[in-house]
Amino acid sequence: MNSFTHFGLYPEMIQAISELGFENPTPIQSKTIPHLLSTDQDLIASAQTGTGKTAAFGLPSIHLTNIDDKSTQTLVLCPTRELCVQIAKDLGDYSKYMKGINILAVYGGASIQPQIKSLKKGAQIVIGTPGRTKDLIKRKKLKLNNISRVVLDEADEMLTMGFKEDLEDILATTPQEKQTLLFSATMSKNIISITKKYMSDPLEVSAGKANLGAENVEHIYYMVQAKDRYEVLKRIADINPTIYGIVFCRTRRETKEVANKLMHDGYNADAIHGELSQGQRDEVMGKFRKRQLQILVATDVAARGLDVNDLTHIINYNLPDDPEIYTHRSGRTGRAGKSGVSIAIIHTREIGRLKEIERISGISFSKKLAPNGIDICQTRLYTLIDKIKKVEVDVKQIGPFLPEIYEKLSSLDREELIQHFVSTEFNRYLSYYKNARDINISGKHGDSRRGKRAKGQSATGPFTNFYINVGYISKLNPGRLIGLINESLGSSNAEIGQIDIKKTFSFFEIEKAKEAQLMKGIQGKEFEGRPIVLEISQEKPERRAHSKDRSFNRKRGKRKGSDGGRKRRRRK
Ligand code: AMP
C-alpha cells in the first residue's frame, strides 16, 4: 500500500502520485503534510529544491481546496516564471484525477490578458511571481479576500532577487485569518524578519541539509590552470558520452562564450542567460528537458526553476561566490534515488573556497585528475563498440544495398574491416588527443591538503616516494611529470602526492598500490631524449621538500634502484 494513504489524502490524489512513483513521503513531506491537513498554524520549512517540497505544500493545498468555490483559496509565490510553471505543472499532475480544481500560473514576461481571462474563470490555486501577482492584485483581477493559505516558496531567492517590497505589499492585501507557509533553503536575517512580521507562532520544520539525492552526489574537483578550464570541460564531456548536465558560469558573457565554444566543437550544447528573450529561453529549456540538448550552460539566475530530473553532471565552471549556491547547484543532480556527480573546476588559489563549501555544506570533495587522452580515447572507443553491438539491424531495409557493399568491402578481412569501421568514427578523438598534454596541476603549492596528511599516507592508503633522473633543466614540470606517470600507467586514476622538481632530478609520491605497475610501465621510456631512471626513494617528502640538491646527493645511497649501476653515472 502507498504510504501516503496514511495521511488521509483523497484516493484520486493517491492514484496520481502513485503513478508518479511517489511511494513513501520524503522527510519534509512527513513533517509538513499531516500538520497542514490538521491545523491552521503557520509553518516555516528549511528545505532546498529536491527535497520534495512542492508536494509537501502542494498535496495539502489541493486536498483542502473547496471545489464548489471558484474563488482563489491558495496563493503560492515563487521567484521565477520557470518555477511557477513547474509548480503549476506538478500540482496539475497531483490533481489530475480530481474534477473541478483549477490551477493557474501567473508570471511576467508573458501577455497579461490570457492570465486575466483564466482568473475570471476562477482558479482556486494561483501560483505567481511577485511582480505579476502584485500587478494583477492592483488591477483587481486577482482577489485575495478568500485566501486560506499563502505559500512563499524559495523565499530566500525571492529576497535575493529584490522582491521584498512586492512580497510585503502582497501579504498586506491578504486576510488576517490565513495560514502562511514559508519554504526557504537558507534562513537569513531578512527571512527571519519577514517571518516575524507576517507569521504568528509558526511551527519550524527542516528537511535537513541533505536533499532527496544529496547522498547520491559525488563531489569532485579538478585542479588546472585557469586557462585550461574549457579544456577540462571538453574532456569531461568526452569521457562521459551520455552526459546530461548543466555547466554553471558566473557571468552572461562567460556563459555565452563557453556555450559557443562547445557548439563550435560539435557538442550538443546551448546556453540560457539573462540576455535571451523569454521565447528563446523557453525554447532552449524545452530542448534540454526533452534531452535534445545534452549540455546546458547557464548562470545561476537563469537556471532557477529549471527542474529537470536525471541530470548526470553538474559542472561548476567557476565556483560560486556564495557556498550556499554550490549546494543549490549540486542538489540538481542525484535526485530521486539516481546518482550524480558535481564537479568543480578550480585553480590552485581556489582550494580555500572549496574548503569553505565543505565546511558550510557538510560535504567533502575528492580530488580527481582530469581525464587524459588515453582514458578518453579508450572510453569513447569502447562506447562505440557497445553501440555497434547493440544497434538494431533492419536487414529488410538494408538488404537491397548489401550485395554491393559486400562487394566493395571484399578485399578487407575481418580484422581490417573492424579497424576501418572503428577508425571512421574514432579518428576525430584520436587526432585531437594523440598529443594531448596533461592539464592537471599538482605539486606542493597545488593542494594545501597535502600538508595535513600523515607522513607517507594518502587519503586512500600509503604512498611510495620515487626518485626520477630528470629535473627542470630538462623542462620537467609537475604537469609533464604527471603526464609521464599517467602514460606509463596507461590511466590517470593513480593518486599522486607531493612533487618536488629539482634542477637535474625530481621526487614524487604515488599511491603504493601503483608502485610496481609504474616501475614496469616506465621502463625503456625517454624524456626529452634522456632515458628515464626511476627508483624508490627512502627520503620523506617533508624533509626532501626543504633539502638542497647537495643534501640529496648524500642520501641517494639509501635508494632501492631499478637499473643497477648505470644510474650513478647518468645522474652526474
Ligand atoms: P521538489 O523538491 O519539489 O522540487 O521535488 C524534487 C523531485 O522529487 C521532483 O521531481 C518530485 O517529483 C520528486 N519527488 C517529490 N516527492 C517524492 C516522493 N515522495 N517520492 C519520490 N519522488 C518524489
Side-chain angles (χ1 to χ4, degrees):
M1 193 170 67
N2 189 306
S3 307
F4 280 91
T5 315
H6 301 299
F7 294 138
L9 294 167
Y10 290 122
E12 291 90 335
M13 293 167 72
I14 301 288
Q15 187 187 342
I17 60 173
S18 298
E19 287 175 15
L20 292 173
F22 295 15
E23 281 167 13
N24 297 303
T26 65
I28 196 75
Q29 290 164 358
S30 298
K31 290 174 188 168
T32 309
I33 297 173
H35 175 80
L36 298 181
L37 290 177
S38 59
T39 83
D40 287 339
Q41 190 189 3
D42 290 347
L43 179 126
I44 301 174
S46 306
Q48 296 155 3
T49 301
T51 49
K53 65 187 167 66
T54 314
F57 65 76
L59 293 173
S61 300
I62 294 167
H63 183 92
L64 295 168
T65 299
N66 177 359
I67 288 175
D68 300 327
D69 179 356
K70 293 288 169 230
S71 67
T72 302
Q73 298 159 44
T74 297
L75 174 67
V76 181
L77 294 168
C78 64
T80 64
R81 168 192 169 131
E82 282 77 22
L83 190 56
C84 249
V85 172
Q86 185 65 43
I87 296 172
K89 184 187 164 293
D90 288 351
L91 269 53
D93 288 344
Y94 309 152
S95 60
K96 72 174 182 184
Y97 296 118
M98 294 178 69
K99 285 209 176 81
I101 189 153
N102 288 332
I103 296 161
L104 178 67
V106 295
Y107 41 80
S111 168
I112 200 164
Q113 288 311 324
Q115 296 175 2
I116 291 176
K117 223 165 144 190
S118 303
L119 279 173
K120 272 190 189 147
K121 282 192 210 149
Q124 294 107 334
I125 302 181
V126 172
I127 300 118
T129 50
R132 180 56 59 96
T133 303
K134 194 174 144 184
D135 193 354
L136 288 164
I137 294 170
K138 255 186 145 170
R139 293 176 190 228
K140 301 202 171 18
K141 303 298 177 195
L142 173 62
K143 299 185 181 87
L144 301 183
N145 50 318
N146 207 21
I147 284 281
S148 306
R149 72 199 59 77
V150 175
V151 182
L152 305 174
D153 190 22
E154 302 212 348
D156 46 351
E157 286 302 326
M158 288 199 279
L159 295 187
T160 314
M161 291 169 76
F163 288 134
K164 185 162 191 269
E165 243 177 63
D166 287 344
L167 285 185
E168 297 203 353
D169 289 350
I170 296 167
L171 288 172
T173 63
T174 56
Q176 204 64 31
E177 288 301 304
K178 64 167 188 305
Q179 193 171 27
T180 305
L181 320 173
L182 181 139
F183 288 79
S184 185
T186 53
M187 286 295 156
S188 64
K189 267 193 210 149
N190 266 335
I191 298 274
I192 291 164
S193 84
I194 289 242
T195 59
K196 284 209 174 116
K197 205 160 161 190
Y198 293 99
M199 301 174 94
S200 63
D201 181 32
L203 172 77
E204 291 182 35
V205 296
S206 165
K209 282 245 177 245
N211 65 30
L212 264 184
E215 63 268 36
N216 300 329
V217 180
E218 187 190 1
H219 301 270
I220 66 176
Y221 71 97
Y222 294 124
M223 193 187 284
V224 295
Q225 290 183 15
K227 69 172 173 54
D228 284 329
R229 280 184 206 280
Y230 179 70
E231 180 63 27
V232 190
L233 178 59
K234 246 167 91 76
R235 292 190 187 193
I236 295 168
D238 283 342
I239 206 154
N240 294 288
T242 55
I243 189 168
Y244 180 45
I246 305 181
V247 178
F248 282 100
C249 294
R250 276 213 289 215
T251 61
R252 291 172 187 185
R253 199 170 139 194
E254 189 178 61
T255 307
K256 279 196 284 187
E257 273 171 16
V258 171
N260 285 342
K261 275 193 203 166
L262 284 171
M263 286 188 269
H264 177 264
D265 289 342
Y267 296 91
N268 191 6
D270 210 336
I272 42 164
H273 49 77
E275 271 170 35
L276 299 183
S277 71
Q278 196 59 53
Q280 288 169 319
R281 278 165 65 102
D282 287 349
E283 196 187 324
V284 178
M285 297 251 208
K287 276 192 188 165
F288 187 59
R289 277 201 187 93
K290 284 187 226 142
R291 284 189 173 236
Q292 288 163 358
L293 287 177
Q294 279 187 277
I295 303 174
L296 185 69
V297 189
T299 54
D300 289 290
V301 173
R304 287 259 164 266
L306 174 69
D307 193 21
V308 180
N309 281 329
D310 301 343
L311 290 181
T312 58
H313 288 76
I314 291 298
I315 300 169
N316 294 267
Y317 195 75
N318 270 302
L319 283 177
D321 292 328
D322 178 356
E324 296 275 3
I325 293 184
Y326 178 85
T327 317
H328 273 287
R329 289 181 179 179
S330 60
R332 290 167 171 275
T333 184
R335 292 199 186 166
K338 301 249 167 61
S339 61
V341 184
S342 176
I343 300 175
I345 305 175
I346 64 162
H347 60 74
T348 44
R349 288 187 306 281
E350 289 178 311
I351 197 85
R353 293 177 60 201
L354 214 60
K355 284 190 171 170
E356 177 76 353
I357 294 173
E358 287 187 327
R359 190 179 59 75
I360 292 181
S361 315
I363 56 165
S364 63
F365 284 93
S366 55
K367 183 178 181 179
K368 289 273 163 78
L369 291 175
N372 68 15
I374 300 170
D375 296 336
I376 292 166
C377 289
Q378 196 170 317
T379 307
R380 297 299 308 204
L381 196 51
Y382 294 157
T383 310
L384 173 67
I385 302 302
D386 288 343
K387 202 167 136 193
I388 292 175
K389 262 180 92 173
K390 276 194 212 139
V391 74
E392 246 177 67
V393 178
D394 188 341
V395 183
K396 235 182 173 176
Q397 287 286 331
I398 58 168
F401 309 103
L402 285 176
E404 197 170 334
I405 295 172
Y406 292 148
E407 176 58 34
K408 279 178 186 281
L409 297 173
S410 60
S411 62
L412 302 173
D413 65 21
R414 185 175 184 273
E415 266 78 39
E416 285 169 333
L417 203 56
I418 293 173
Q419 288 159 12
H420 279 245
F421 268 101
V422 166
S423 303
T424 312
E425 278 273 349
F426 191 59
N427 279 352
R428 174 165 94 91
Y429 290 100
L430 212 55
S431 60
Y432 183 79
Y433 285 115
K434 195 168 47 186
N435 295 317
R437 68 200 158 89
D438 194 297
I439 51 175
N440 294 288
I441 40 176
S442 186
K444 61 191 172 212
H445 304 298
D447 184 351
S448 53
R449 290 150 195 246
R450 287 207 184 98
K452 291 195 178 155
R453 203 181 54 226
K455 281 184 184 178
Q457 292 290 315
S458 73
T460 49
F463 268 94
T464 299
N465 309 315
F466 274 107
Y467 156 88
I468 188 166
N469 67 325
V470 273
Y472 59 76
I473 204 158
S474 310
K475 300 198 183 92
L476 184 74
N477 59 33
R480 294 187 78 189
L481 178 61
I482 294 170
L484 180 69
I485 297 168
N486 291 341
E487 195 188 304
S488 307
L489 292 171
S491 81
S492 66
N493 55 11
E495 194 167 348
I496 299 171
Q498 188 89 32
I499 292 177
D500 191 13
I501 310 250
K502 304 250 177 233
K503 194 170 174 186
T504 55
F505 55 88
S506 307
F507 293 101
F508 63 89
E509 296 171 314
I510 186 167
E511 60 179 294
K512 198 164 174 51
K514 295 277 192 306
E515 180 188 298
Q517 197 187 339
L518 181 65
M519 293 283 267
K520 195 165 169 231
I522 213 159
Q523 264 175 26
K525 285 207 185 309
E526 294 189 347
F527 189 85
E528 296 281 330
R530 245 172 105 84
I532 290 173
V533 178
L534 185 76
E535 301 164 3
I536 292 173
S537 163
Q538 300 298 309
E539 277 187 84
K540 294 285 174 247
E542 284 81 1
R543 286 169 63 192
R544 197 175 61 224
H546 303 292
S547 68
K548 298 251 162 55
D549 294 11
R550 258 182 305 145
S551 67
F552 155 75
N553 281 333
R554 271 190 278 122
K555 291 183 177 177
R556 71 184 174 187
K558 286 187 185 170
R559 265 178 251 117
K560 279 197 271 169
S562 64
D563 78 340
R566 285 177 301 140
K567 64 191 176 232
R568 258 165 219 270
R569 253 174 292 120
R570 264 196 219 107
R571 236 180 278 132
K572 276 175 192 159

